[in-house]
Amino acid sequence: MTGGNCGSASRQRRQRLFYEACIPALLLALLACRYGVPPNSNSTVLCAVALILSLSSLVLRLVWSSEDSTHPHVYRPGADDGAVWGSLLVPISVLATSVGAAEASADFIPGASRLYPAIVLSLGMSVTFTAHYQWSRIRKTALYVEASCFIWALWLACTIAIGYAGKAALGDTFGLVQSIAVLLIASAAQHAWRNEILRSLPRSFTIGEAAVFTQGLALVAVDFAIQMGYRLQTDSPDSEYWEPHMHVLCLEAVVLGLWMAGSVLARVMATGVLGKRARRGVPGLMVLGSVFGGFGVLALALVSYISQIHPIRWILATTFGSPAHIAVLAYWLALLAVAGAVYAVAQGDVSESTKFMLHVKRKSYHVLAALMFVPGLVYARPLLYMGFAVAVAGFVVAECMRALDLGPCSTSIDAFMRRFIDYRDAGPVVTAHFYLLLGCALPVWLGHGSVSNLAGVLSLGIADTAASLVGMKLGRVRWPGTAKTVEGTVGFCLSLLAAIGVVLWLLKGGEGVGWYWYALVSVVVGVLEALTEQNDNLVVPLCMYALMQALP
């Protein structure tokens, strides 16, 4: 490729990434205005900080190159650094949930009204991440001193403003200093976790993807710690209050337990305490079971202590508590049995398949997700909520077995996973199945809506599959600087709009919202899927969820 062609391709890429950055920046600004108007003393402050964050993200994309040549061995190849998404995606998701919830502006109490402190913490962590990223990029420039003063002065002003608003979130016992201290601790924790993930799992994430993951983890950890603090101060907790919110508490315990168990297990295996043969035998399986089992028991004990509700009984009652739940469970088992039989018949031909047929087999998991999760949301939402948590736990355990070569099944799991990986799985862990599951689960966990809860299922299970197959068969015109085609994007938009219409018909919803709004959502999400270099299984569902919540 000549120098002129290289320069043209680079300009096209920079333009495409700027247009991509405009989508989350404008979306955050829209959600911030909807949250902060009509104004009150706290919502106006948070709205202003969110608008500053949106503008900073566009400046970030305009000024700095999207590539980070200083750490090519750390970040996932074939993608920009994703710093814009690391700054905006978590605040977008939290604000979207707040806009769609009736109690969005309520003061902090345990349970469903956790949205206000989540907004405060997410904005605080994002502001700190953005300031640190900008500062790290100017350290070798001529305007280092002047730019550093401006960046950190703006960060300090935003942090104080967020801390002022955070006093309402953390209760009467917290003043401005204590509120800012909580923000700084959460920001420092997610910064340390992000660096640890990038160091221990090189080439698996962009910095933005790692930032999104660790910001979400920090939100869960802080909220769980607050619930524990309230329980320690209360002699007689209200178990009747916790009954409808047990799914939130159990989910937080599962997430934290998996994080700690995976971290401990990785460190234990790094010491070389087990040889290769022992890892693949019973000793490796015993280590795996003891670590995850121990943290599982600890998580259940903490849930029981906070809520004064027996978690095992609650899980059984939720699973088998109604005929609809039992029917959905039977449907899931039958669907999995059919999918397993189809895979068993077709697996012998994978190595000889054409590229198109292999792509069809990969996308069949997206279709399977749609077939499983749509009936679950319509007829058994609590079961689906809990089922996603169980599925995430199973995926984490299976990936630990594969990546650490633990147990006699590790080789089979590795062979299965490697049949369907793509260029984004360049690191030591296979992330494709995690992103697919989380992309479907996060809109359901965030709640507050009908079609918006199915943002992941519809965008990934239906629209993304249609875009891939239409693009491979009919695609001729490519988006500048990408392998994706305009025809594939058209297929994405049309199939997504049709899927939304079917779900609205099933749920008998959508009254008061014109079809043109859903068409706009489909187009914006389709264009984002075509432009982004981040993992679309993560950013596309959350942006669609936020857009659906922002509908007038």
Side-chain angles (χ1 to χ4, degrees):
M1 183 180 290
T2 65
N5 290 336
C6 286
S8 176
S10 178
R11 285 192 300 272
Q12 288 181 346
R13 183 168 184 254
R14 287 175 66 89
Q15 291 174 355
R16 173 169 52 83
L17 293 176
F18 175 74
Y19 296 146
E20 176 207 7
C22 289
I23 295 176
L26 294 176
L27 182 55
L28 179 60
L30 172 63
L31 290 167
C33 291
R34 289 204 62 187
Y35 174 77
V37 179
N40 61 57
S41 59
N42 292 319
S43 65
T44 303
V45 169
L46 296 177
C47 176
V49 172
L51 292 175
I52 292 173
L53 191 60
S54 295
L55 182 61
S56 298
S57 68
L58 292 181
V59 173
L60 184 151
R61 179 54 68 218
L62 275 174
V63 174
W64 304 117
S65 170
S66 61
E67 300 175 356
D68 194 335
S69 58
T70 58
H71 300 286
H73 60 288
V74 173
Y75 302 134
R76 178 166 63 81
D80 66 296
D81 53 30
V84 171
W85 292 103
S87 298
L88 302 182
L89 189 56
V90 173
I92 283 173
S93 303
V94 176
L95 274 171
T97 305
S98 299
V99 167
E103 68 279 5
S105 299
D107 292 335
F108 175 75
I109 56 174
S113 298
R114 299 168 178 176
L115 296 173
Y116 184 76
I119 294 171
V120 170
L121 287 171
S122 63
L123 286 175
M125 288 187 292
S126 293
V127 166
T128 301
F129 169 79
T130 304
H132 182 270
Y133 179 87
Q134 298 266 26
W135 175 77
S136 67
R137 301 307 296 264
I138 67 170
R139 283 183 293 179
K140 296 182 181 180
T141 63
L143 296 177
Y144 170 68
V145 176
E146 295 85 350
S148 293
C149 292
F150 175 77
I151 288 173
W152 290 114
L154 185 60
W155 168 81
L156 181 61
C158 289
T159 301
I160 293 175
I162 297 171
Y164 168 77
K167 292 191 298 181
L170 298 174
D172 296 334
T173 59
F174 279 77
L176 178 61
V177 175
Q178 293 90 338
S179 179
I180 293 176
V182 172
L183 290 176
L184 295 179
I185 291 172
S187 298
Q190 77 89 18
H191 178 79
W193 291 340
R194 185 183 73 245
N195 288 343
E196 175 64 18
I197 286 177
L198 293 173
R199 183 196 62 80
S200 59
L201 301 175
R203 298 170 64 83
S204 295
F205 305 95
T206 65
I207 190 174
E209 292 166 354
V212 169
F213 176 75
T214 53
Q215 285 176 25
L217 185 64
L219 284 175
V220 170
V222 170
D223 187 68
F224 196 83
I226 291 175
Q227 309 316 312
M228 179 61 70
Y230 277 165
R231 176 62 182 91
L232 292 173
Q233 297 173 9
T234 305
D235 295 330
S236 56
D238 187 1
S239 59
E240 293 184 0
Y241 169 80
W242 274 111
E243 182 67 33
H245 306 306
M246 275 291 287
H247 58 287
V248 178
L249 193 62
C250 289
L251 177 61
E252 291 182 345
V254 167
V255 169
L256 295 176
L258 291 174
W259 169 256
M260 291 186 290
S263 301
V264 169
L265 188 64
R267 282 174 169 76
V268 169
M269 292 297 102
T271 63
V273 65
L274 293 179
K276 185 174 182 179
R277 179 174 295 183
R279 281 191 177 201
R280 293 185 176 181
V282 175
L285 205 57
M286 291 179 62
V287 171
L288 180 80
S290 61
V291 172
F292 278 98
F295 279 101
V297 171
L298 176 61
L300 291 176
L302 290 176
V303 168
S304 178
Y305 174 73
I306 293 173
S307 66
Q308 294 296 293
I309 297 174
H310 198 292
I312 300 297
R313 293 176 184 170
W314 178 84
I315 291 172
L316 292 176
T318 301
T319 304
F320 304 104
S322 71
H325 286 196
I326 296 175
V328 170
L329 276 175
Y331 168 75
W332 285 351
L333 292 174
L335 196 61
L336 289 174
V338 172
V342 172
Y343 171 77
V345 172
Q347 67 173 337
D349 300 328
V350 170
S351 59
E352 302 173 3
S353 295
T354 64
K355 180 180 178 181
F356 177 75
M357 289 307 299
L358 184 59
H359 200 69
V360 170
K361 292 175 181 178
R362 288 186 68 250
K363 293 301 179 181
S364 65
Y365 288 96
H366 292 231
V367 177
L368 178 63
L371 293 175
M372 290 187 68
F373 301 146
V374 171
L377 182 69
V378 175
Y379 300 109
R381 183 175 301 201
L383 182 65
L384 179 62
Y385 194 106
M386 189 172 62
F388 274 129
V390 173
V392 169
F395 276 27
V396 171
V397 173
E399 184 58 24
C400 285
M401 293 177 67
R402 187 204 69 81
L404 299 175
D405 200 14
L406 289 173
C409 298
S410 59
T411 304
S412 301
I413 295 174
D414 183 65
F416 175 81
M417 293 295 185
R418 293 194 178 279
R419 291 177 185 270
F420 305 102
I421 62 175
D422 59 14
Y423 67 94
R424 291 172 292 194
D425 294 308
V429 297
V430 178
T431 59
H433 54 296
F434 281 110
Y435 280 123
L436 175 60
L437 180 61
L438 288 176
C440 294
L442 285 172
V444 175
W445 287 340
L446 292 172
H448 305 299
S450 54
V451 181
S452 60
N453 291 152
L454 286 172
V457 176
L458 299 182
S459 62
L460 302 180
I462 304 297
D464 185 61
T465 302
S468 297
L469 300 182
V470 170
M472 292 191 71
K473 279 297 185 182
L474 305 176
R476 297 293 183 270
V477 182
R478 300 193 182 277
W479 289 93
T482 74
K484 298 179 180 179
T485 64
V486 175
E487 292 85 353
T489 300
V490 172
F492 184 104
C493 298
L494 294 178
S495 60
L496 181 57
L497 183 58
I500 291 174
V502 171
V503 172
L504 288 174
W505 176 73
L506 289 174
L507 297 176
K508 296 179 174 60
E511 294 84 355
V513 180
W515 66 268
Y516 45 84
W517 287 111
Y518 294 117
L520 177 62
V521 169
S522 301
V523 171
V524 172
V525 174
V527 171
L528 174 62
E529 192 273 340
L531 296 180
T532 187
E533 293 181 358
Q534 302 303 292
N535 197 302
D536 53 1
N537 289 354
L538 176 67
V539 301
V540 169
L542 289 178
C543 278
M544 179 180 170
Y545 169 80
L547 282 166
M548 297 296 291
Q549 296 288 53
L551 288 178

